[in-house]
């Protein structure tokens, strides 16, 4: 059986990498939305693709795998605790946000972006709020 501490360590490492991407990709979108020359536009597409598919998505998948293993192998009683249910709801929201980022990237790649750099600046704040809420729930475990 896999060691619980190893699972926690891998979960946290991949969660950190996922969040790094969730913070950085929308920031790239801010600058991409402001760019107007072909060289910059092409460079942003390449950077966004590599970040999205090379770092963010694999990190998200491994975060979910290790979180799933941790929960089902060692901590199934968490499903009875309100804080954990709220965390799962926030994680599902992050997955939706991630998918939204994929769609925004695809729009940029097709030169069909519909949002301003100001919209992306606000969009960029969502994962910050999610991280604060998730970490707070995990550390303090309210509603037990």
């Amino acid at each position: 059986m896999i060691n619980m501490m190893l699972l926690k360590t891998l979960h946290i490492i991949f969660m950190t990498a996922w969040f790094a991407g969730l913070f950085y990709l929308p920031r790239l979108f801010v600058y991409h939305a402001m760019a107007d020359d072909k060289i910059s536009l092409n460079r942003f597409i390449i950077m966004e693709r590599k970040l999205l598919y090379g770092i963010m998505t694999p990190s998200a998948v491994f975060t979910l795998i290790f979180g799933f293993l941790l929960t089902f192998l060692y901590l199934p009683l968490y499903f009875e605790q309100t804080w954990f249910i709220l965390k799962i709801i926030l994680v599902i929201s992050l997955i939706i946000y991630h998918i939204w980022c994929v769609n925004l990237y695809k729009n940029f790649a097709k030169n069909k972006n519909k949002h301003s750099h100001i919209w992306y600046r606000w969009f960029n704040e969502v994962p910050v709020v999610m991280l604060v809420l998730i970490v707070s729930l995990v550390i303090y475990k309210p509603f037990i």
Side-chain angles (χ1 to χ4, degrees):
M1 188 182 274
I2 301 172
N3 181 301
M4 180 168 53
M5 295 309 284
L6 176 61
L7 287 177
K8 279 185 182 182
T9 301
L10 292 170
H11 180 66
I12 291 168
I13 289 168
F14 285 107
M15 181 274 307
T16 303
W18 185 22
F19 266 98
L22 288 171
F23 293 153
Y24 189 49
L25 184 65
R27 179 55 47 185
L28 287 175
F29 290 162
V30 168
Y31 301 128
H32 195 159
M34 294 169 53
D36 54 10
D37 62 288
K38 184 127 177 92
I39 292 172
S40 295
L41 294 170
N42 289 337
R43 183 176 298 129
F44 281 117
I45 293 294
I46 292 167
M47 291 171 67
E48 292 159 358
R49 184 186 71 240
K50 288 181 177 184
L51 178 61
L52 185 59
Y53 297 117
I55 297 170
M56 277 177 65
T57 301
S59 295
V61 169
F62 284 118
T63 299
L64 297 172
I65 288 170
F66 291 120
F68 179 85
L69 289 172
L70 247 164
T71 302
F72 285 95
L73 292 178
Y74 291 99
L75 309 167
L77 59 96
Y78 276 3
F79 281 108
E80 300 170 11
Q81 299 179 16
T82 304
W83 72 268
F84 187 75
I85 302 302
L86 293 172
K87 177 191 173 190
I88 296 300
I89 291 167
L90 289 169
V91 170
I92 290 167
S93 300
L94 272 179
I95 294 166
I96 292 167
Y97 182 86
H98 185 110
I99 293 167
W100 194 357
C101 285
V102 170
N103 290 327
L104 292 169
Y105 161 75
K106 287 179 179 180
N107 285 339
F108 271 119
K110 295 176 192 171
N111 200 23
K112 294 183 179 181
N113 173 45
K114 298 176 184 163
H115 303 290
S116 71
H117 68 94
I118 295 169
W119 186 89
Y120 286 110
R121 289 178 195 277
W122 284 104
F123 182 74
N124 190 45
E125 300 305 320
V126 172
V128 175
V129 173
M130 301 291 243
L131 179 64
V132 169
L133 292 173
I134 290 170
V135 169
S136 296
L137 286 169
V138 170
I139 298 297
Y140 295 106
K141 294 178 179 54
F143 317 111
I144 293 180

